[in-house]
Amino acid sequence: MVARTRSAGEKLLWLTVLTAVGMLASATAATVYAAGDTQRRHGKRVDFMRRLLLEPSRNVATIRTLADSLVSPLGVLPPIDSATLSRIVALISAPSDSAIWLAHAPADTTRAHALAVFRRWTRSEPLSAFWGVRAGFPGLAESRSIPMSRLQPLKRLWKANEAEADSALLVGDTETALQRARENIAGARHLIEQPSPVDAMVGRVMLTDGVKLLARTALQADQPVLHSAAQRLLSLTRSLQPVPRNLWNMNRGEALEGRLLDLARDRTLHPATRFVAIELMVAGACASTREVLFGPSAARHQALNTMIDATRDIPRLVELRSSFHRTLDKLDHAPETFMGGTSQPRPTHESMSATLLRLVVPTRVQARIDACYWTGA
């Protein structure tokens, strides 16, 4: 009887151990499966990198040369003075980001004052990358917090300048209209080569509007050579893609990280294309099951350093090195706050299986999965 009892107890003990091991194995498998969901989402995308069209990102140098020639009648454009720079920053900076922008007083938005500031801004030599931001990007928590210009006020100003040109044309004053068109083209040069994709795209729109104004003014002024040059610049500007359309949607993964480094090294590409390549390297952590499980790898941090070193020709981009690393660190150590606040909402329309997986997936891994979902990475 004692032997049978001991045998039964041993069997119960082994059954308990095996059950626990089975549950642990199941939970581990479920965690790995859940972490791989981001990679599966990327796997469903078309591998755009194989047919990524980079030529539209490369014609910015030609655009710069032709734009320079068209604004040359404005004379030698001086470096911008600090007062004008401060006033234009006041017009385009968001109050919430005031600590990171160059020092500025509250903006004077009256039409006459703002338009005078705008014209002085346009009549200065082209500004370098991140021209409105303080050195070192003080107070920047991570790369996703890089301040964006409020470009609607700027658009209202170039449209107001364009309206004055059109008014001048109505009375046959082509000289004033030509000056206003050239001012808009000169102002667009401050934006169109910026590493920020938004700034570059707004610069493209501004340049397109300015060149169209110059072309119709040249027709009225009976200057066919100027009209032809404006039409050529218009064609080049329309074909420009600061960031190739399908670059954002490429299938990210380890096999393509080398290609991202190639993009960062290619100095013939638009600065915004190279900047986005760095952002995609950061986002690539979400396409790696291992990094969703354990956090961004040391190899990814090193790849990020290599890409930033490769873009040292872009002024001030190296100042953002630590902010990109902080983004990866946040995904590693505090993914639950990645979208702000102390927790993240569940993805909308979550499947029943995904909801059940939450019961066994470790909290930090699940937070990374949710962060990758909400950022679209």
Side-chain angles (χ1 to χ4, degrees):
M1 289 294 294
V2 175
R4 284 197 298 271
T5 302
R6 183 181 296 116
S7 177
E10 289 176 353
K11 288 180 180 179
L12 180 60
L13 175 60
W14 280 109
L15 181 61
T16 302
V17 170
L18 290 173
T19 300
V21 170
M23 292 178 65
L24 180 61
S26 298
T28 302
T31 300
V32 173
Y33 177 83
D37 184 58
T38 55
Q39 188 172 16
R40 288 190 293 275
R41 286 203 306 271
H42 286 292
K44 293 178 182 178
R45 299 179 181 179
V46 177
D47 185 358
F48 287 111
M49 286 294 281
R50 293 180 181 174
R51 49 191 179 87
L52 182 63
L53 301 178
L54 295 174
E55 291 311 309
S57 175
R58 289 195 168 104
N59 66 351
V60 68
T62 306
I63 289 173
R64 181 196 316 126
T65 300
L66 188 50
D68 288 349
S69 69
L70 290 179
V71 303
S72 59
L74 293 177
V76 177
L77 301 181
I80 195 167
D81 63 273
S82 59
T84 299
L85 184 58
S86 173
R87 291 185 179 113
I88 199 72
V89 166
L91 290 169
I92 66 170
S93 60
S96 58
D97 296 325
S98 59
I100 201 169
W101 291 98
L102 295 173
H104 57 276
D108 184 343
T109 56
T110 57
R111 179 186 171 96
H113 182 272
L115 201 50
V117 170
F118 170 79
R119 287 174 183 157
R120 289 198 298 273
W121 173 72
T122 65
R123 287 173 174 261
S124 62
E125 66 180 20
L127 296 168
S128 65
F130 306 110
W131 49 264
V133 181
R134 296 175 194 256
F137 293 79
L140 185 64
E142 52 173 302
S143 60
R144 296 179 303 151
S145 303
I146 295 172
M148 293 181 60
S149 308
R150 293 190 307 131
L151 295 165
Q152 279 304 316
L154 198 59
K155 183 177 181 180
R156 286 195 292 269
L157 290 172
W158 92 60
K159 286 296 185 182
N161 217 35
E162 182 178 314
E164 289 202 9
D166 285 329
S167 296
L169 286 177
L170 288 175
V171 296
D173 183 2
T174 56
E175 184 59 33
T176 296
L178 286 171
Q179 284 191 24
R180 298 295 172 253
R182 287 183 169 117
E183 286 169 349
N184 282 2
I185 293 171
R189 297 183 307 165
H190 298 320
L191 298 173
I192 199 166
E193 293 190 63
Q194 289 295 307
S196 163
V198 174
D199 285 359
M201 288 304 299
V202 171
R204 178 178 177 270
V205 174
M206 184 177 180
L207 184 58
T208 299
D209 285 355
V211 174
K212 286 160 62 175
L213 174 61
L214 185 66
R216 65 176 182 267
T217 302
L219 277 180
Q220 188 163 330
D222 194 23
Q223 295 189 33
V225 174
L226 178 59
H227 178 264
S228 177
Q231 289 291 89
R232 180 167 180 261
L233 180 55
L234 179 60
S235 177
L236 287 169
T237 305
R238 282 173 168 168
S239 66
L240 174 68
Q241 293 177 23
V243 179
R245 293 188 184 96
N246 49 10
L247 180 58
W248 290 105
N249 298 318
M250 67 175 227
N251 178 19
R252 295 188 288 273
E254 293 181 3
L256 293 173
E257 289 173 5
R259 186 69 190 279
L260 289 176
L261 179 55
D262 289 341
L263 295 181
R265 286 172 170 156
D266 190 344
R267 297 190 176 193
T268 67
L269 294 173
H270 193 287
T273 295
R274 301 167 70 197
F275 180 81
V276 168
I278 296 174
E279 291 187 317
L280 291 176
M281 178 61 76
V282 173
C286 285
S288 166
T289 300
R290 184 186 181 281
E291 290 177 271
V292 174
L293 283 170
F294 304 110
S297 65
R300 188 165 302 278
H301 281 279
Q302 182 55 48
L304 181 58
N305 279 331
T306 303
M307 294 181 77
I308 292 174
D309 289 340
T311 55
R312 283 183 176 273
D313 58 300
I314 301 176
R316 303 190 60 189
L317 186 55
V318 69
E319 295 176 29
L320 291 169
R321 182 193 301 272
S322 59
S323 68
F324 282 113
H325 285 295
R326 284 195 294 270
T327 302
L328 289 175
D329 289 340
K330 192 169 188 177
L331 188 62
D332 189 357
H333 303 298
E336 64 280 357
T337 65
F338 203 70
M339 297 304 296
T342 57
S343 62
Q344 292 165 166
R346 292 187 180 187
T348 54
H349 309 297
E350 186 174 65
S351 66
M352 180 61 71
S353 61
T355 300
L356 292 174
L357 283 173
R358 289 178 180 272
L359 299 175
V360 294
V361 174
T363 302
R364 180 161 291 183
V365 175
Q366 186 61 59
R368 287 195 196 100
I369 295 169
D370 291 343
C372 291
Y373 173 87
W374 285 112
T375 58

